[in-house]
Amino acid sequence: MSVTDQPMTRNEELRAEVRKGALEELRPFMPPIRRALQSVAKNPSDIPQLVELFNKVRSLALNPNLTRLPTIARVAGAFEHLFKQLVDKPESMSQSVQRTMAQTVDLLCDLVEKDLREVDLVTARALAVDDQQIALRSVMNALDKAGLKSQALSDPTAALSLSQDWQFDLIVLDIEMPEMSGLELCAKLRALPNYKKTPILFVTSASDFEHRAKMCLSGGNDVIAKPFLATELGLKALTLIVKYKTTTL
């Protein structure tokens, strides 16, 4: 009998029952959140709609059942932090933010409705690469606020070498860098056996279609435009890691 075929102990059965009950309590929250998001997407400048969506997300983030669901708790908490900033400064709403919000709602619905496995975010590690020190510090600050361990490098060649020695759960790249662009570095990372499916996020001021197309061709997963909200980048980083670890590994 293999390890996976072994029957659960009584404690494991109890934990599974508690988890199932917690998820059942959360399921009614998801359809209203999705509907509220759709209303905001139709009119992002509608402040009352944004506040309504914020209140629904906040209710989810404060639900006591999340003490039994740490992955959902982390994502929902980061989502709430983004909304706090948007409610205070609605002019910060952008197409990039709207895309991140939609991706987060999709992930939360999957976590709740499909009972995806828990993710160890305590040990998750991100690598940020940008030749501009100010931009690099901004990325590191966002990852730190999201509770993610991270390492920063300004040299893409050094980043490629480090990636061969260490396994990161997320790579955050600038596109325009001297000697080796972020697109080139992404392609080289994808050639490494351990990085074929690791999420790669581009952070760049080049938000036009041509760069987005090149990003996809080089193997990137998503893009966020400068200047970015720290709360948005942190949330996007969490969603990319959780989605990777629950649906790919």
Side-chain angles (χ1 to χ4, degrees):
M1 178 181 294
S2 67
V3 174
T4 55
D5 291 332
Q6 292 180 356
M8 289 192 296
T9 65
R10 181 54 183 161
N11 285 339
E12 290 172 336
E13 289 177 349
L14 289 173
R15 284 196 296 268
E17 290 174 5
V18 169
R19 177 181 175 83
K20 181 180 179 181
L23 289 170
E24 288 177 351
E25 291 288 332
L26 293 183
R27 288 191 176 102
F29 284 83
M30 306 318 299
I33 288 177
R34 192 180 286 282
R35 288 194 295 269
L37 175 66
Q38 291 169 347
S39 297
V40 170
K42 291 178 182 177
N43 188 3
S45 61
D46 189 331
I47 305 304
Q49 291 280 11
L50 183 64
V51 172
E52 180 182 352
L53 178 55
F54 166 69
N55 288 333
K56 293 183 183 304
V57 171
R58 190 168 189 268
S59 295
L60 174 65
L62 296 178
N63 190 286
N65 285 290
L66 291 190
T67 58
R68 304 179 181 91
L69 305 164
T71 301
I72 298 175
R74 283 285 296 277
V75 176
F79 203 9
E80 181 192 10
H81 291 156
L82 172 60
F83 270 110
K84 285 180 180 178
Q85 189 168 3
L86 291 174
V87 170
D88 290 339
K89 296 181 178 180
E91 67 274 11
S92 299
M93 179 69 77
S94 64
Q95 289 185 345
S96 177
V97 170
Q98 291 178 57
R99 183 170 62 249
T100 300
M101 290 165 55
Q103 291 168 341
T104 304
V105 169
D106 286 342
L107 176 64
L108 284 171
C109 287
D110 284 346
L111 289 170
V112 171
E113 295 166 0
K114 297 180 181 179
D115 190 10
L116 301 181
R117 64 177 179 272
E118 290 293 332
V119 173
D120 182 7
L121 291 169
V122 175
T123 59
R125 302 179 66 214
L127 174 64
V129 188
D130 196 316
D131 62 305
Q132 300 293 325
Q133 290 298 321
I134 294 177
L136 193 57
R137 283 196 294 271
S138 296
V139 171
M140 295 296 288
N141 177 61
L143 294 173
D144 182 65
K145 286 185 175 181
L148 293 170
K149 295 182 176 66
S150 57
Q151 186 162 345
L153 287 174
S154 58
D155 181 358
T157 302
L160 180 61
S161 177
L162 181 64
S163 299
Q164 293 173 330
D165 297 327
W166 290 88
Q167 180 64 49
F168 293 97
D169 301 293
L170 172 70
I171 309 290
V172 184
L173 300 178
D174 183 36
I175 286 184
E176 301 297 336
M177 294 187 288
E179 299 183 8
M180 185 191 303
S181 72
L183 297 173
E184 292 171 324
L185 176 55
C186 179
K188 291 179 182 294
L189 286 168
R190 287 293 186 234
L192 299 176
N194 292 339
Y195 285 92
K196 293 188 180 299
K197 295 184 179 180
T198 302
I200 294 178
L201 171 64
F202 285 111
V203 183
T204 179
S205 57
S207 58
D208 59 288
F209 177 79
E210 181 181 356
H211 272 91
R212 288 200 298 270
K214 288 181 178 178
M215 174 204 74
C216 294
L217 290 173
S218 67
N221 294 84
D222 208 342
V223 62
I224 187 171
K226 299 176 184 177
F228 57 80
L229 300 175
T231 49
E232 183 199 357
L233 193 149
L235 175 60
K236 189 179 285 288
L238 282 173
T239 57
L240 285 170
I241 292 174
V242 171
K243 184 176 181 180
Y244 164 62
K245 285 182 172 289
T246 54
T247 63
T248 305
L249 294 181

